[in-house]
Amino acid sequence: MTESQKAQEITETSYSDLPAKAKELADNGYRVVQICATSKDGKTEILYSFDKDFQMINYKVYVPDDMTVPSISGSFWPAFIFENEMHDLFGIEFTDLVLDYKGNFFKLSSKTPWKTEVKKGVE
Amino acid sequence: MMGKRTIIPFGPQHPALPEPIHLDLELEDEKVIRAIPSIGYVHRGLEKLVEHNDYQLMCFVMERVCGICSFGHSWGYAAAVEGLMDIKVPERAEHLRTIFHELSRIHSHLLWLGLLADAMGFESLFMNCWRLREAILDIFEKSTGGRVILSFTRIGGQFKDISKESLAEIVAILENMRKELSVITNVFLEDASVKNRMCGVGKLSKEDIMKLGATGPTARGSGVNNDVRCLDLGKYKELGFKPILETDGDCYARCKVRVREVFQSIDLIIKDIENIPEGPVNIPVKGMPPVGEFIVRIEQPRGEAFYYVKGNGTKYLDRARVRTPTNANIPILVKVLQGCDLNDVTMMVMTIDPCISCTER
């Protein structure tokens, strides 16, 4: 399997398990490559990508209805960039964010422009 | 005794910043205690357009993420969609992509060297760097019709072929440029006043780089290899690509990496042109991207860029994500500015080289 094929593996996990997984990766020398949200039909998912020696690990979590997710910036300090971005664009709240701009990281003309309405109870 | 505390706003409009990033510099006398960045002054929301634009047309939108590394962005997006749709691009197109990507690196690094010279007050050096860069833009114009936005890449290959004569001309231009480059880059590497501004300034250890996830010449200047040209995209493996690393971790080391990379890119292009096979440069693309996801990483001039696409079976993708190199380098910028002299802020920002156009995609 090539590095490119390996990079396509995405593991679904629970958002509550993510901080522990992130800590384990940080302790093993991984770096955070990116974090991004996708929002469609009232559902939002977050893709986390980590790398060590060109080997990528991807986790996907589904965001709960109240849009509050634990931050991984305690383990990966640079994650604050991506988490503030998702907060400002998608309206996702992160708990325990090490550097919280409180909605002022991006200067946007409208608040959380990429947020779609979360439909309660939609699986 | 504690010095006087002051907060200086640095940017979004500043002579040393070609693009709008804002830093609040908290100072104690002349020492920077803390730097707080904020971005978003020109945020365009290009990623969101994928929900309303045909996936093929989005290639031209993605190219507009940046006016310096535009070719790389179209390649990264195209490669991600091609991966999603299981499209095998013709060999000649892969070679052309590698050649044009390295030409983009040369023009980006020359632009950066010019800006660095300008920030130090070396105006003739600045103009000479940009004069040489013009030759690359001329190559772009002659071969694709565009100097900044090339619209050369599409899903399934390249828009058109480049003739044998044009490729030979590119080799001749680069051979000529190499001689002039040696003279110009010698000033960056040997001139005492340039060294005084950069040697030992803005040191970043290997541990800092690993911990803060920096990419590109910033990481390679501290001896960290996360150059994704070592992966399987493009023809780099066949060309025997080896990343350029320096170990001092200061502004001078980051400058040296870029200077050496310009020469390396010339070698890679010439070698690639010698080995380029004949054949088609694109294949027809039919159908819609299936339900699924695909990830591609590409080494832009400023570092690793990450592309993620998510298809839903229609011509509109659910998501196209671009994480540009500067996104990854902002944390290291915050770190390196802590504890530095106010006078050195410009050099540090310059050598980390944030591209706000990319960041504000």
Side-chain angles (χ1 to χ4, degrees):
Chain A
M1 195 187 271
T2 65
E3 295 102 337
S4 169
Q5 286 163 332
K6 279 184 212 155
Q8 310 311 321
E9 290 174 7
I10 298 173
T11 311
E12 282 184 24
T13 187
S14 152
Y15 68 92
S16 53
D17 290 344
L18 200 73
K21 287 185 189 297
K23 188 173 182 324
E24 194 186 331
L25 289 171
D27 292 345
N28 285 314
Y30 279 80
R31 68 185 167 96
V32 60
V33 174
Q34 71 88 41
I35 311 171
C36 75
T38 304
S39 198
K40 199 180 179 206
D41 299 334
K43 287 196 282 186
T44 304
E45 63 187 38
I46 305 180
L47 177 70
Y48 293 80
S49 306
F50 306 93
D51 173 278
K52 184 186 174 188
D53 300 331
F54 302 113
Q55 301 298 316
M56 265 184 108
I57 290 183
N58 300 296
Y59 286 117
K60 184 187 280 181
V61 302
Y62 290 93
V63 175
D65 286 352
D66 62 3
M67 302 279 271
T68 303
V69 176
S71 166
I72 62 160
S73 58
S75 304
F76 291 101
W77 189 72
F80 81 87
I81 292 279
F82 307 114
E83 291 177 341
N84 275 289
E85 181 185 22
M86 283 188 285
H87 173 271
D88 290 8
L89 294 175
F90 291 88
I92 302 167
E93 296 288 341
F94 288 91
T95 53
D96 307 319
L97 192 49
V98 290
L99 188 48
D100 190 350
Y101 285 83
K102 300 188 186 300
N104 294 306
F105 185 58
F106 276 16
K107 309 281 183 288
L108 301 167
S109 57
S110 60
K111 210 177 168 191
T112 61
W114 295 3
K115 182 180 182 178
T116 60
E117 197 184 327
V118 177
K119 291 172 190 161
K120 296 274 178 193
V122 172
E123 287 300 314
Chain B
M1 199 175 115
M2 209 169 86
K4 191 185 170 193
R5 289 227 170 184
T6 323
I7 294 177
I8 294 186
F10 184 82
Q13 281 85 39
H14 188 279
L17 294 172
E19 297 174 77
I21 185 172
H22 173 82
L23 296 165
D24 274 325
L25 300 175
E26 197 178 323
L27 303 179
E28 196 177 290
D29 292 333
E30 291 285 304
K31 278 257 184 272
V32 178
I33 305 300
R34 208 155 64 117
I36 304 168
S38 50
I39 57 175
Y41 289 91
V42 287
H43 190 260
R44 293 165 290 166
L46 296 180
E47 290 176 353
K48 189 72 176 169
L49 291 178
V50 78
E51 293 172 21
H52 311 288
N53 284 283
D54 182 295
Y55 71 97
Q56 299 215 30
L57 294 179
M58 271 306 287
C59 204
F60 305 115
V61 174
M62 283 300 176
E63 200 172 7
R64 283 157 172 82
V65 165
C66 181
I68 302 169
C69 45
S70 55
F71 179 81
H73 285 303
S74 60
W75 184 12
Y77 170 78
V81 175
E82 285 154 5
L84 181 65
M85 297 179 75
D86 204 16
I87 294 168
K88 177 87 181 85
V89 172
E91 273 291 291
R92 188 172 174 88
E94 279 288 304
H95 279 270
L96 287 175
R97 286 177 175 185
T98 307
I99 291 166
F100 274 74
H101 193 49
E102 288 310 307
L103 284 169
S104 298
R105 191 178 317 280
I106 296 173
H107 109 72
S108 176
H109 282 359
L110 285 174
L111 179 139
W112 177 83
L113 284 165
L115 291 174
L116 180 75
D118 187 49
M120 286 189 284
F122 265 82
E123 292 202 357
S124 60
L125 190 58
F126 155 64
M127 284 186 279
N128 275 303
C129 290
W130 280 37
R131 178 177 56 79
L132 287 185
R133 174 178 168 261
E134 281 297 303
I136 304 293
L137 300 187
D138 289 343
I139 291 173
F140 286 158
E141 188 175 11
K142 202 167 176 186
S143 48
T144 69
R147 291 172 71 81
V148 176
I149 301 295
L150 310 185
S151 302
F152 185 44
T153 303
R154 65 179 216 190
I155 312 294
Q158 298 314 105
F159 183 67
K160 57 178 268 203
D161 200 357
I162 306 293
S163 68
K164 206 174 166 183
E165 294 71 33
S166 298
L167 290 173
E169 199 182 336
I170 292 172
V171 172
I173 291 168
L174 293 178
E175 289 288 10
N176 252 333
M177 184 185 277
R178 201 198 311 254
K179 291 172 209 151
E180 285 201 73
L181 264 173
S182 302
V183 178
I184 289 170
T185 54
N186 201 35
V187 181
F188 285 100
L189 301 181
E190 301 300 334
D191 187 274
S193 54
V194 174
K195 278 183 157 180
N196 281 342
R197 288 300 301 270
M198 293 198 290
C199 287
V201 174
K203 268 198 173 269
L204 289 166
S205 68
K206 206 169 177 174
E207 291 69 35
D208 288 336
I209 298 287
M210 305 282 275
K211 199 175 161 195
L212 297 172
T215 68
T218 305
R220 296 195 284 280
S222 297
V224 176
N225 173 22
N226 50 22
D227 191 324
V228 291
R229 283 178 287 177
C230 295
L231 298 177
D232 44 16
L233 190 71
K235 290 290 157 195
Y236 294 103
K237 281 190 175 170
E238 287 177 28
L239 295 170
F241 170 77
K242 293 268 181 297
I244 284 171
L245 301 176
E246 291 288 332
T247 51
D248 287 345
D250 56 4
C251 290
Y252 182 71
R254 295 191 277 277
C255 176
K256 211 169 169 185
V257 167
R258 289 184 178 95
V259 166
R260 290 177 61 199
E261 282 188 353
V262 173
F263 290 100
Q264 182 191 42
S265 292
I266 292 176
D267 293 339
L268 287 170
I269 293 165
I270 292 172
K271 199 169 173 189
D272 205 354
I273 289 176
E274 281 167 8
N275 294 307
I276 190 167
E278 292 296 329
V281 293
N282 56 51
I283 54 164
V285 176
K286 288 177 186 155
M288 301 297 164
V291 175
E293 299 156 286
F294 205 86
I295 291 168
V296 161
R297 287 190 286 172
I298 192 167
E299 189 69 21
Q300 289 278 26
R302 286 172 180 75
E304 171 202 60
F306 171 100
Y307 303 84
Y308 163 74
V309 293
K310 184 177 165 78
N312 57 16
T314 72
K315 65 178 179 178
Y316 305 117
L317 298 174
D318 276 348
R319 185 76 162 107
R321 163 69 163 170
V322 188
R323 197 237 61 206
T324 62
T326 300
N327 279 128
N329 283 339
I330 288 178
I332 203 86
L333 182 65
V334 173
K335 159 82 184 168
V336 76
L337 291 177
Q338 283 174 5
C340 79
D341 282 338
L342 180 60
N343 281 339
D344 292 331
V345 169
T346 308
M347 273 305 107
M348 291 184 191
V349 174
M350 282 302 302
T351 55
I352 289 173
D353 191 22
C355 175
I356 306 306
S357 173
C358 278
T359 313
E360 305 281 34
R361 69 227 174 272

